[in-house]
Amino acid sequence: MSSLALYAGPGALSWIENHGLDQHQIKVLVAASGGPKWFVLYGLDRYLFGEYFADRSQPLELLGSSAGAWQLACLAQADPLGAIERLASNYSQQCYPDRVTQHTISSEARRMLDVVLAETGVEEIVNNPIFRLHVVAARSRGMISSENRHLLSLGLLLCGLSNAASRRNLRWHFERTIFHNAVAGGSAFTLQDMPTRYVALQEDNLRAALMATGAIPVIMEGVTDIVDAPPGIYRDGGITDYHFDMPFHQGDGLVLYPHFYPTVTAGWFDKMLPWRQVNPVNFDNVLLLAPTAEFVSRLPFGKIPDRKDFEHFDDVTRLAYWKQVLDESERLAEDFANLLAGDRLLENIKPLMGQSNGSVKTVSTRKPVLTRSEEI
């Protein structure tokens, strides 16, 4: 039984039926927020970075928030496999003292980022003409601009309540900021769902942008004084774009989205709103890859790693658990490579979603993937 499930939007399914799946047909690669959840995709990333896109000659737009942006920053380096190994090794072996603070966690993140980028990573990412990184961060407004824990917590509560009324209300609390590779000029993404600022990545703001996209409110310190970006405190990009709900790509070509879930949740606050669905139109040309429920059930504790593991397990148990997930994740890569090499790719693709009068519908006789969060 395959460890990997494939889901395609109507446009992507039609494209693959007519043209197959060649890596040069993929125009955008997406990576979501999720922290340690990424460990289940580590093996798949190794295959994508080291083999599938190894001879890439056409530009590939990379879009990520939080931990997803760090993943993609590895691909945009000259030695992507070396970078992803450094990220996985350092991230999966993190340990903290009993009395941990925002500063402690932020300092560890800066140390880890320096290791991942090594000596030449910043220059390589900024000047990469093929793998063009886009990093999403959220510039804070109102009380969320405060580092006072009580004011910040109250601001987040108000943000969650207003988001429950409408996702568009996030604009009163955050401004989405996309730090983008500027080799070809402007950002590849033009968004109108909420106020969005575009800032060119350069050697003196890349580190700050990557720190900002992972700066979880209350858990980590916000990032200020980012070169060429508007003044303010920048926080985790997953707040506005947790799993993303935006027009990824217009025109021919596909969007490849390796994801740890077969469900998509637009923003971080939408995790609490099981009725909120993403816009099916945005996923028309998306091919989403995710571990199967059967694969996850065979992992230690029957689940994908997450940040709560720091609270639920002692360090010895947690580190062994995370290492086993990293090892098991290689099976996803093997299954994807086998599907690409064989003649059973189409029959293994399930419909992601369709649209009929604004609602999700089945695009074939097979059951489509759900479009709401099923996270705990």
Side-chain angles (χ1 to χ4, degrees):
M1 182 176 295
S2 177
S3 301
L4 185 69
L6 286 71
Y7 304 93
L13 187 60
S14 176
W15 180 277
I16 295 170
E17 286 175 341
N18 292 313
H19 304 284
L21 182 61
D22 178 81
Q23 62 104 341
H24 289 293
Q25 298 160 355
I26 297 169
K27 306 301 182 183
V28 178
L29 180 64
V30 180
S33 301
K37 296 183 183 74
W38 164 67
F39 296 151
V40 78
L41 298 177
Y42 162 72
L44 185 58
D45 275 355
R46 277 178 46 82
Y47 171 72
L48 293 175
F49 294 7
E51 296 186 43
Y52 192 62
F53 292 121
D55 62 346
R56 183 82 183 189
S57 59
Q58 301 172 7
L60 180 67
E61 309 298 341
L62 313 178
L63 176 66
S65 63
S66 198
W70 285 43
Q71 292 169 242
L72 297 178
C74 295
L75 175 55
Q77 295 184 53
D79 178 14
L81 277 183
I84 204 75
E85 291 283 3
R86 294 193 296 273
L87 175 59
S89 175
N90 281 266
Y91 200 173
S92 66
Q93 296 178 35
Q94 283 186 321
C95 292
Y96 293 97
D98 292 336
R99 295 181 60 83
V100 66
T101 66
Q102 287 181 318
H103 181 71
T104 304
I105 298 174
S106 298
S107 296
E108 170 61 15
R110 285 190 289 270
R111 182 203 66 80
M112 184 166 61
L113 181 60
D114 286 342
V115 171
V116 172
L117 294 174
E119 295 183 2
T120 58
V122 171
E123 180 183 0
E124 291 163 0
I125 293 169
V126 169
N127 297 308
N128 197 320
I130 304 299
F131 299 107
R132 300 176 177 176
L133 181 64
H134 293 68
V135 176
V136 180
R139 187 166 74 98
S140 304
R141 290 176 167 174
M143 284 188 290
I144 297 175
S145 297
S146 174
E147 288 288 32
N148 179 283
R149 178 178 291 267
H150 299 294
L151 285 177
L152 176 56
S153 297
L154 178 58
L156 291 171
L157 174 61
L158 295 175
C159 181
L161 293 173
S162 60
N163 177 74
S166 172
R167 178 165 156 78
R168 295 181 66 85
N169 287 336
L170 283 175
R171 67 184 58 214
W172 305 114
H173 307 276
F174 292 99
E175 178 185 61
R176 174 197 286 137
T177 305
I178 297 182
F179 296 89
H180 63 90
N181 178 301
V183 170
S187 168
F189 305 96
T190 303
L191 307 174
Q192 300 178 341
D193 58 323
M194 67 178 66
T196 302
R197 183 88 58 162
Y198 304 91
V199 179
L201 281 172
Q202 52 196 51
E203 292 187 29
D204 53 3
N205 69 10
L206 174 68
R207 277 187 169 85
L210 287 171
M211 281 298 301
T213 192
I216 307 167
V218 180
I219 303 297
M220 295 175 64
E221 299 165 337
V223 178
T224 60
D225 302 323
I226 301 179
V227 173
D228 278 357
I233 294 183
Y234 291 79
R235 303 192 188 276
D236 198 311
I239 296 171
T240 57
D241 299 283
Y242 190 54
H243 299 165
F244 297 98
D245 182 17
M246 60 176 63
F248 297 108
H249 178 63
Q250 304 300 310
D252 292 338
L254 301 175
V255 176
L256 183 63
Y257 190 170
H259 195 17
F260 27 82
Y261 293 134
T263 55
V264 179
T265 303
W268 188 85
F269 289 102
D270 297 322
K271 294 193 299 180
M272 286 73 82
L273 309 177
W275 62 85
R276 179 158 294 168
Q277 298 181 340
V278 297
N279 185 351
V281 171
N282 290 336
F283 291 80
D284 178 69
N285 58 350
V286 171
L287 175 63
L288 186 145
L289 314 178
T292 62
E294 292 78 12
F295 172 82
V296 174
S297 70
R298 294 194 295 268
L299 294 176
F301 310 107
K303 73 176 195 68
I304 293 171
D306 58 59
R307 284 195 299 110
K308 292 182 180 179
D309 293 342
F310 283 104
E311 305 168 16
H312 295 163
F313 304 112
D314 61 73
D315 285 344
V316 173
T317 302
R318 177 177 55 81
L319 295 182
Y321 162 35
W322 285 4
K323 183 180 185 306
Q324 186 170 344
V325 172
L326 290 173
D327 293 340
E328 293 291 330
S329 71
E330 296 289 347
R331 292 164 52 195
L332 276 65
E334 293 170 4
D335 287 342
F336 188 49
N338 289 336
L339 285 174
L340 293 174
D343 57 1
R344 301 183 60 189
L345 178 64
L346 264 180
E347 65 184 77
N348 281 276
I349 298 178
K350 302 175 183 178
L352 180 59
M353 60 187 71
Q355 186 178 36
S356 176
N357 298 323
S359 61
V360 174
K361 69 168 187 176
T362 304
V363 296
S364 79
T365 56
R366 294 170 290 180
K367 185 179 179 181
V369 64
L370 299 176
T371 59
R372 66 183 186 181
S373 173
E374 292 184 345
E375 296 178 65
I376 296 175

